[in-house]
């Protein structure tokens, strides 16, 4: 299984809502990533978990709260978002051996009204 | 902070023509990766370069890493319509976890 699965594929939420994005992989990878991607822009690094511990937070606003409950799962909790947070949120995982390639999920398309 | 730039931003080529995108970093990189993202898709890993001056080939794609490990290029020979997409370089400096993407080059191929 070489897949990273993200749910939901699409999410529409109001600025007062609380929602979560989920990411799952069963490749035994111990590094997991959240990236944000706006249209015609590159993926922008948000968070990295390494061995279930937060290793990188790229000064992301606290309305985004990551969680790594176990080595296969990564969540991104969303609260009080702004319309400018609308974007494609990509999860990726990486093995701690080999080339260090990132395996990306298909993304969750988020719209904040 | 770590800056990775790419040129050109957009490239339109006739099918069968060659294509090159260049990636430049303001700092020395420990390694560089290349990804391709098709329209509506997600980034897919193409290759990683680690050594100074390294050259790798994948069929019609040739990847180079500069001697100073600050620049890289991707060359596609005889483009096909299946090459359409955005090509991103992504660099690592000191932290193995931190993978920063360049702005990308969007390739259109006219049949």
């Amino acid at each position: 299984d070489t897949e990273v699965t993200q749910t939901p594929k699409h999410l529409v939420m109001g600025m007062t809502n609380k929602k979560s994005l989920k990411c799952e992989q069963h490749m035994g990878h111990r590094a997991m990533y959240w990236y944000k991607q706006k249209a015609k822009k590159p993926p922008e690094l948000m968070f990295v978990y390494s061995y279930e511990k937060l290793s990188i937070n790229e000064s992301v606003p606290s309305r985004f709260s990551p969680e790594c409950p176990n080595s296969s799962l990564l969540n991104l909790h969303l609260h009080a978002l702004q319309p400018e947070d609308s974007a494609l949120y990509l999860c990726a995982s990486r093995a701690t051996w080999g080339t260090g390639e990132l395996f990306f999920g298909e993304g969750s398309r988020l719209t904040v009204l | 902070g770590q800056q990775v730039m790419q040129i050109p931003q957009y490239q339109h080529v006739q099918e069968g023509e060659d294509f090159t995108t260049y990636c430049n970093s303001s700092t020395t990189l420990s390694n560089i990766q290349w990804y391709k993202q098709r329209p509506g898709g997600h980034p897919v890993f193409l290759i990683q370069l680690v050594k100074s001056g390294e050259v790798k080939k994948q069929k019609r794609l040739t990847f180079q890493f500069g001697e100073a490990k600050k620049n890289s290029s991707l060359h596609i020979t005889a483009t096909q319509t299946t090459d359409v997409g955005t090509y991103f370089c992504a660099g690592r400096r000191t932290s193995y976890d931190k993978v920063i993407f360049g702005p990308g080059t969007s390739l259109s191929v006219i049949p």
Side-chain angles (χ1 to χ4, degrees), chain B residues 54-67:
Chain B
E54 190 170 15
V55 178
K56 286 189 177 180
K57 294 193 176 192
Q58 288 180 350
K59 297 183 180 178
R60 295 179 294 104
L61 277 60
T62 302
F63 303 84
Q64 292 190 328
F65 201 10
E67 294 289 342

Side-chain angles (χ1 to χ4, degrees), chain A residues 86-101:
Chain A
S86 299
L88 181 68
Y89 288 84
L90 292 161
C91 173
S93 71
R94 173 180 63 78
T96 48
W97 64 91
T99 63
E101 86 179 77

Side-chain angles (χ1 to χ4, degrees), chain A residues 33 35 37 55 94 99-100, chain B residues 33 35 37 48 96-97 99:
Chain A
Y33 294 68
Y35 282 88
Q37 188 175 29
S55 68
R94 173 180 63 78
T99 63
Chain B
Q33 298 179 334
Y35 291 81
Q37 186 172 21
Q48 175 169 281
Y96 195 71
D97 282 344
V99 181

Side-chain angles (χ1 to χ4, degrees), chain B residues 84-108:
Chain B
V84 165
T86 301
Y87 293 84
F88 294 103
C89 62
R92 283 192 176 95
R93 198 162 60 103
T94 51
S95 163
Y96 195 71
D97 282 344
K98 191 166 182 173
V99 181
I100 300 298
F101 281 71
T105 295
S106 176
L107 172 64
S108 300

Side-chain angles (χ1 to χ4, degrees), chain B residues 3 13 16 20-21 25-26 32 37-38 41 47 61 66 76 79 87 90 92 97:
Chain B
Q3 295 277 346
V13 300
T20 305
T21 173
S25 171
S26 56
I32 197 156
Q37 186 172 21
R38 293 181 188 272
I47 208 158
L61 277 60
I76 302 178
T79 53
Y87 293 84
R92 283 192 176 95
D97 282 344

